[in-house]
Amino acid sequence: MAQADSIPKKNRLSIQIDPLSLIDFYNGSNYKLGTEIKLFRNIYLSADFGGYFRNFNVLKNNKGFNADFRIKYQFPHSNSSISLGYFYKKQSFEYHDYYIDKPEEPIVVYTRKTVNCINLNFEQKFPFLKNQKAYVSLFAGLGIRFRNVHSTFEMKHDFDRLKDGGDSQTLYFVLIPGKDPWLNLNAGIRLGFYLF
């Protein structure tokens, strides 16, 4: 019995990445590396940390970091789980464009944002490889996002005058200043590998 107790249990610690964050055109492409640890029985703790690529898409000189923490309950004898997560992001960037009525004068919109978010997610893992050492995890959920954005835009009228980005609904939410709570919908994929 003593020997059996001394053998480490399988799948207690994993490393994971979020491949979709590399092509996040809405918030700015970023890289994330994280870990998940089994605390006891069916309770897990996860943490992911990341930074932004400076000039990968329309957001230039993109700087900042993000952190994502989750406490998760995995249903017994299942690869399904439910988690409560907290996400934090601090980011600054520039957006370059022209006004329709002044195409000869380039403009730069400077933006700084801080986001705090609380989510309730459902997650499904799909283990693979020998001894199921790797997994793909799909997740989706709802929450609330507290957004604090400072921008050189003063009002929506400025955004409507943009030559390239004026008709983009997603860019509008990225650039327009404000301090307000929003409903948050999220979904994603994580790729993980168990170390032990």
Side-chain angles (χ1 to χ4, degrees):
M1 182 179 284
Q3 287 179 339
D5 287 344
S6 67
I7 298 172
K9 294 181 179 178
K10 287 173 39 179
N11 303 342
R12 295 190 63 84
L13 176 69
S14 67
I15 56 171
Q16 54 192 17
I17 61 169
D18 181 353
L20 293 182
S21 66
L22 298 171
I23 54 170
D24 186 347
F25 296 107
Y26 177 70
N27 292 301
S29 298
N30 62 97
Y31 49 89
K32 285 184 182 179
L33 181 64
T35 185
E36 181 178 271
I37 185 167
K38 185 175 185 177
L39 297 178
F40 53 90
R41 295 195 181 181
N42 298 338
I43 305 297
Y44 293 80
L45 180 66
S46 295
D48 298 333
F49 301 94
Y52 294 89
F53 295 109
R54 287 185 63 84
N55 296 299
F56 189 75
N57 56 15
V58 297
L59 307 181
K60 304 302 179 190
N61 294 317
N62 201 352
K63 295 181 281 188
F65 68 95
N66 57 64
D68 192 356
F69 302 96
R70 294 169 308 283
I71 186 89
K72 181 172 72 172
Y73 173 77
Q74 185 167 319
F75 298 110
H77 313 294
S78 170
N79 286 320
S80 301
S81 58
I82 190 165
S83 67
L84 181 64
Y86 168 73
F87 176 78
Y88 175 80
K89 170 170 66 174
K90 188 169 187 177
Q91 183 182 22
S92 64
F93 54 84
E94 301 168 4
Y95 173 72
H96 298 249
D97 206 335
Y98 300 86
Y99 285 130
I100 294 171
D101 53 347
K102 296 180 181 177
E104 70 285 350
E105 295 180 26
I107 63 159
V108 179
V109 180
Y110 298 96
T111 305
R112 288 181 295 119
K113 66 164 57 175
T114 304
V115 174
N116 290 279
C117 190
I118 298 170
N119 287 310
L120 185 63
N121 292 319
F122 178 78
E123 183 176 322
Q124 181 68 44
K125 275 187 182 176
F126 299 95
F128 65 97
L129 288 185
K130 186 178 179 182
N131 298 325
Q132 299 188 340
K133 293 296 274 184
Y135 60 86
V136 173
S137 177
L138 305 178
F139 65 92
L142 290 170
I144 187 164
R145 171 182 293 248
F146 299 95
R147 172 184 175 270
N148 187 359
V149 178
H150 300 276
S151 171
T152 53
F153 273 154
E154 295 295 327
M155 60 188 78
K156 184 181 184 303
H157 176 68
D158 289 336
F159 183 82
D160 292 338
R161 294 169 51 210
L162 290 177
K163 179 178 180 291
D164 293 331
D167 61 348
S168 170
Q169 290 302 309
T170 56
L171 191 60
Y172 172 79
F173 293 115
V174 172
L175 297 178
I176 295 301
K179 186 175 182 180
D180 42 21
W182 288 6
L183 176 67
N184 189 68
L185 302 171
N186 69 328
I189 298 173
R190 291 187 188 94
L191 302 178
F193 184 81
Y194 290 107
L195 299 176
F196 58 86

